[in-house]
Amino acid sequence: VGQYDYSPAVEPGVGLYVDDVYFATLTGSLLDLLDLDRLEIQRGPQGTLSGRNSIGGAIKLYSQKPTGSNSGSVHVAYGSRERLDMRGSYDFNITTNLDARIAAVSKRQDGYVDNIDFGCAHPPGSPLNPDTGGVMPTVPAGGDCLLKRDGNVDYQAARMQLRYRPSGAVDLLITGDYTSDDRNPPATILTYADNPNTGAVRGEAFNVPFDERFLCGRYCSYAAGLAPADPDNGIPFGATRVLNSQYEGWGLSAHATIDIGDRLQLTSISAYREYDLVFAYDGDMSPLPLNNGYTDLKFDFFSQELRLSGSSITDTVHYTIGGYYSDQESVFANVQDIRYSGLQFASLGDRVPAKTAAGFAHVAWNVAGGLTLNGGLRYTKEEKDYHFSRRFADGSPGQPQVGGLDGASGAYSESRFDYRANVQYQWTQDVMTYVQYSTGFKGGGINPRPFFPSQVQPFGPESIDAYEIGIKSDFFDRRMRVNVAAFFNEYQDIQLVLQTCPQFNPPDVPPTVVLPCAMTANAGDGEVKGIELEATLRPIDGLLLEGSLSHTDFEYTSIAPAALGGVLLTDVAPYFSDWKLSFGSQYRFDLAGGSTLTPRIDVAYQSSFYVTTTAAPYGFIPSYTVVNARLLWRAADGDLDVSAEVTNVLDRYYYVNALDTSGRGGYATANPGRPREWALSITKRF
């Protein structure tokens, strides 16, 4: 239960919060854990205690707050491919009752997938480029055929906090943050290439078949970003894109807590965030112009939350009531050059404003002894407006097939209640069992990526009824912890991005013709059931063993009419692994003088999965296991750490994602995981 579409016009499946501020889109959510105090993971539907509704759970990051301690830390790491990480923080007092904390991070590292100029590596007339009028080099004669390395890191971020505590009853925290992320495209390789079409696929500039000659290797690609104009085949505009991604975002928030007596507290969280993301991609990862694009995405977001929390005089009842409001707008301007379908069009900015308002309440009642009843209620109302454009920068309209989208619009509105009911029993101080029922939803909208007017289709919310039973336990003076949970979810109106939607072809195109489709639709219903086990063991002082195991089963129970032709009852769930396993072990050796040496090893396994509903061969991700190791030396005073680490110790080659366009564009791509890497780091606290 999640989301793999970065479009801000669709909702995340898991809520992400930083210092109680909701991050509304997947874009901008790849954060460095800067100056982290703690991390909370809340599983299952959320929303009766705080924030936005989220169907798949919530991840909450909390930064260290200013205390006026006049202390700080500096961290430096150096490693594989010129990796250089620098991180620092400082906490200081400004004046009476006013403290501040600043933190900053800079991370740089070369990529691990070589982007090679095909015409340079294989000059015209060579075996892979036999035609003298084939793919020409783009670098000067004698130049380096290696253009750049994809999958690199170039990330900077900073945060400043001001904390004002005029009395013990009032705590006000003002936070500002800034992030800059400028990097090459993600590490991507071509895994399949066979498109026999000529015309717009090759154009007059190329006389080269699109086939396996463009399969560069395990860690390299020939992506060029070349898309010259081809008026003879209906492609009037051309461009050579610099393939990179530039993200710039910032935010301000005010977090206030006011104690109203001994048993009542008011919390207010106000926040504003905005970002601008510009990126260009070469979807076919070759020097031919099958699929290229350029996007400029702007997003701004305001939210306000109020919570009132209290307890009864006897401390048997604890409650929270609150409200949440957000107002956001995204402007998605892009150029799409899909020559394998003979399409080229642009958007000066598809605009999507959206608003959400909600009220929530939660109560926990200790009935007697170890028996506690928990209940929650949430009411949510949300609305979105979609405004599409299809015009180039010079004002000219898109091709006739897409021209009807210029000025098209759509609206979405929904309101609903969600619930949580939980019974827990504390058998002893060390053992608690519970049974729970909760509901949640992910908002709907209008298909944010219509290629034709006929694909401007609405989709409704997806929802879930989640049943869970479990036990949480600590034994032997908390030396052993075992948590087990079994769950069953009724998953309704599942939102999927359809790769084919022939029933929504333009009226003059028969359904037998495969046209581009990336339409969000309610695919149908399903059932999810499984079990999760977590264990931590400290058998002797200094030794830590920890692990987790999960098994999950999914099956569709019905397919919705909107997904007919795109999803079958026998299909799989995208990004769904049956099994996941992780294990970690470390031992602390006490050295002379009081310092310690701690080796650690971590193992993570994930079973195979598909990236689309259909079991397409090039959308299959085989199972993989990754092993990481670390050695940490800590000074006796605890103020100095020196560590060495190796990730992917066994240097396994595996994929983390893939895209199968073999049936439409004649190509498929995949994202290889990072190879073996090493790093040395030093952390100094003062």
Side-chain angles (χ1 to χ4, degrees):
V1 180
Q3 178 64 274
Y4 56 93
D5 188 346
Y6 72 90
S7 171
V10 296
E11 301 295 325
V14 174
L16 176 67
Y17 297 81
V18 178
D19 297 329
D20 281 327
V21 174
Y22 179 69
F23 279 52
T25 67
L26 296 187
T27 300
S29 297
L30 292 177
L31 305 169
D32 184 84
L33 303 183
L34 178 62
D35 208 24
L36 191 67
D37 176 63
R38 72 184 190 277
L39 166 68
E40 296 180 3
I41 296 179
Q42 302 172 352
R43 300 174 182 175
Q46 300 295 322
T48 64
L49 270 168
S50 65
R52 280 277 288 264
N53 60 282
S54 55
I55 186 173
I59 299 174
K60 295 190 172 184
L61 309 176
Y62 291 93
S63 309
Q64 297 191 47
K65 293 182 178 180
T67 61
S69 62
N70 294 317
S71 62
S73 67
V74 176
H75 170 86
V76 178
Y78 179 81
S80 301
R81 300 190 310 280
E82 303 301 322
R83 171 183 169 183
L84 180 60
D85 296 356
M86 295 183 292
R87 183 184 290 112
S89 64
Y90 184 56
D91 189 311
F92 57 98
N93 173 259
I94 298 177
T95 186
T96 304
N97 302 327
L98 183 62
D99 303 315
R101 189 178 185 96
I102 57 175
V105 60
S106 175
K107 301 170 70 174
R108 299 179 188 272
Q109 186 181 24
D110 288 344
Y112 59 97
V113 169
D114 293 342
N115 181 222
I116 296 173
D117 186 294
F118 182 84
C120 173
H122 308 285
S126 63
L128 292 185
N129 195 9
D131 196 309
T132 55
V135 178
M136 304 300 293
T138 60
V139 298
D144 191 349
C145 298
L146 176 63
L147 301 176
K148 56 184 173 22
R149 289 188 171 93
D150 295 337
N152 67 317
V153 178
D154 189 353
Y155 176 94
Q156 290 80 40
R159 177 187 296 126
M160 182 170 184
Q161 300 170 290
L162 292 174
R163 187 180 187 186
Y164 180 56
R165 291 175 286 179
S167 67
V170 177
D171 192 339
L172 174 62
L173 183 68
I174 306 295
T175 303
D177 66 88
Y178 172 81
T179 300
S180 174
D181 195 339
D182 185 354
R183 59 181 80 192
N184 300 332
T188 310
I189 66 167
L190 188 65
T191 57
Y192 172 82
D194 185 11
N195 189 317
N197 294 327
T198 57
V201 169
R202 302 185 200 174
E204 294 183 358
F206 305 100
N207 187 26
V208 179
F210 183 83
D211 55 28
E212 62 183 13
R213 78 187 69 200
F214 296 129
L215 302 183
C216 185
R218 302 204 312 169
Y219 290 112
C220 71
S221 83
Y222 295 124
L226 297 176
D230 186 9
D232 293 341
N233 290 292
I235 309 296
F237 298 99
T240 299
R241 302 293 184 191
V242 177
L243 301 178
N244 67 355
S245 173
Q246 297 177 319
Y247 171 91
E248 188 174 35
W250 62 275
L252 290 172
S253 67
H255 190 296
T257 57
I258 303 173
D259 293 334
I260 308 172
D262 294 334
R263 299 184 178 275
L264 195 61
Q265 185 181 78
L266 176 66
T267 300
S268 172
I269 307 161
S270 307
Y272 176 81
R273 302 200 61 80
E274 72 172 51
Y275 65 76
D276 188 0
L277 171 66
V278 178
F279 67 93
Y281 66 90
D282 187 335
D284 55 86
M285 304 305 294
S286 83
L288 299 192
L290 273 73
N291 186 4
N292 290 269
Y294 173 81
T295 295
D296 187 345
L297 170 59
K298 300 181 185 298
F299 182 80
D300 61 76
F301 178 83
F302 168 79
S303 64
Q304 174 64 53
E305 181 175 352
L306 289 173
R307 294 198 300 260
L308 188 66
S309 300
S311 61
S312 64
I313 295 177
T314 59
D315 266 344
T316 57
V317 177
H318 299 264
Y319 60 88
T320 294
I321 58 174
Y324 177 88
Y325 173 80
S326 67
D327 189 348
Q328 68 185 56
E329 181 174 274
S330 62
V331 180
F332 198 103
N334 68 344
V335 175
Q336 295 291 328
D337 203 335
I338 312 174
R339 301 198 182 187
Y340 66 78
S341 290
L343 291 177
Q344 185 188 58
F345 56 89
S347 162
L348 296 181
D350 289 349
R351 189 170 62 88
V352 183
K355 295 181 180 180
T356 295
F360 51 85
H362 194 98
V363 62
W365 177 27
N366 180 225
V367 179
L371 178 63
T372 301
L373 305 180
N374 297 277
L377 174 68
R378 181 185 184 90
Y379 173 76
T380 305
K381 180 174 178 57
E382 58 185 20
E383 56 187 33
K384 299 178 183 178
D385 293 309
Y386 292 72
H387 306 275
F388 300 105
S389 69
R390 290 297 179 268
R391 288 185 177 270
F392 290 98
D394 65 356
S396 60
Q399 292 179 330
Q401 288 189 75
V402 303
L405 281 166
D406 192 42
S409 62
Y412 159 81
S413 179
E414 178 73 15
S415 60
R416 60 168 283 152
F417 285 95
D418 284 293
Y419 313 90
R420 176 185 298 272
N422 170 290
V423 180
Q424 66 184 56
Y425 192 82
Q426 194 81 33
W427 297 90
T428 68
Q429 183 178 351
D430 298 326
V431 179
M432 185 269 282
T433 58
Y434 67 93
V435 60
Q436 178 174 277
Y437 167 74
S438 58
T439 69
F441 82 103
K442 181 168 66 179
I446 306 295
N447 173 29
R449 292 191 182 88
F451 293 101
F452 314 100
S454 56
Q455 293 180 0
V456 180
Q457 299 291 330
F459 63 95
E462 70 175 27
S463 62
I464 204 165
D465 291 275
Y467 304 84
E468 183 177 341
I469 185 170
I471 179 172
K472 297 182 181 294
S473 60
D474 286 308
F475 300 105
F476 311 118
D477 194 24
R478 303 188 72 176
R479 285 185 176 270
M480 183 173 75
R481 169 173 292 177
V482 179
N483 297 332
V484 183
F487 59 89
F488 174 78
N489 297 334
E490 293 179 322
Y491 199 5
Q492 297 105 16
D493 300 315
I494 302 169
Q495 294 174 7
L496 293 177
V497 179
L498 304 181
Q499 301 300 311
T500 59
C501 49
Q503 67 272 40
F504 296 113
N505 279 2
D508 57 338
V509 178
T512 54
V513 177
V514 179
L515 290 177
C517 178
M519 189 176 81
T520 303
N522 299 108
D525 301 338
E527 292 180 350
V528 188
K529 53 183 178 290
I531 188 168
E532 295 179 341
L533 167 67
E534 298 174 323
T536 302
L537 180 64
R538 295 179 172 88
I540 59 176
D541 291 344
L543 177 61
L544 170 65
L545 306 172
E546 54 189 354
S548 66
L549 172 69
S550 70
H551 175 64
T552 314
D553 180 70
F554 173 91
E555 64 177 348
Y556 290 105
T557 56
S558 66
I559 301 300
L564 293 177
V567 182
L568 303 174
L569 276 175
T570 55
D571 281 348
V572 297
Y575 298 96
F576 176 84
S577 294
D578 291 334
W579 292 93
K580 290 185 179 181
L581 168 68
S582 66
F583 173 77
S585 175
Q586 67 182 50
Y587 184 77
R588 186 189 70 247
F589 293 92
D590 295 323
L591 305 180
S595 64
T596 61
L597 186 67
T598 305
R600 179 179 176 90
I601 187 168
D602 290 280
V603 181
Y605 167 82
Q606 179 164 312
S607 64
S608 60
F609 62 91
Y610 287 91
V611 299
T612 59
T613 57
T614 58
Y618 295 99
F620 177 70
I621 305 295
S623 62
Y624 58 88
T625 302
V626 177
V627 179
N628 302 322
R630 187 169 188 253
L631 182 64
L632 169 68
W633 176 84
R634 176 163 292 173
D637 294 336
D639 61 341
L640 179 64
D641 291 350
V642 179
S643 67
E645 67 179 52
V646 179
T647 54
N648 193 3
V649 173
L650 303 178
D651 202 21
R652 297 299 192 196
Y653 185 79
Y654 62 99
Y655 295 144
V656 296
N657 201 358
L659 175 65
D660 189 339
T661 322
S662 58
R664 305 188 309 278
Y667 68 92
T669 62
N671 302 102
R674 306 183 79 85
R676 180 192 295 132
E677 299 178 347
W678 61 268
L680 302 174
S681 63
I682 298 176
T683 301
K684 173 63 178 176
R685 303 174 187 88
F686 55 89

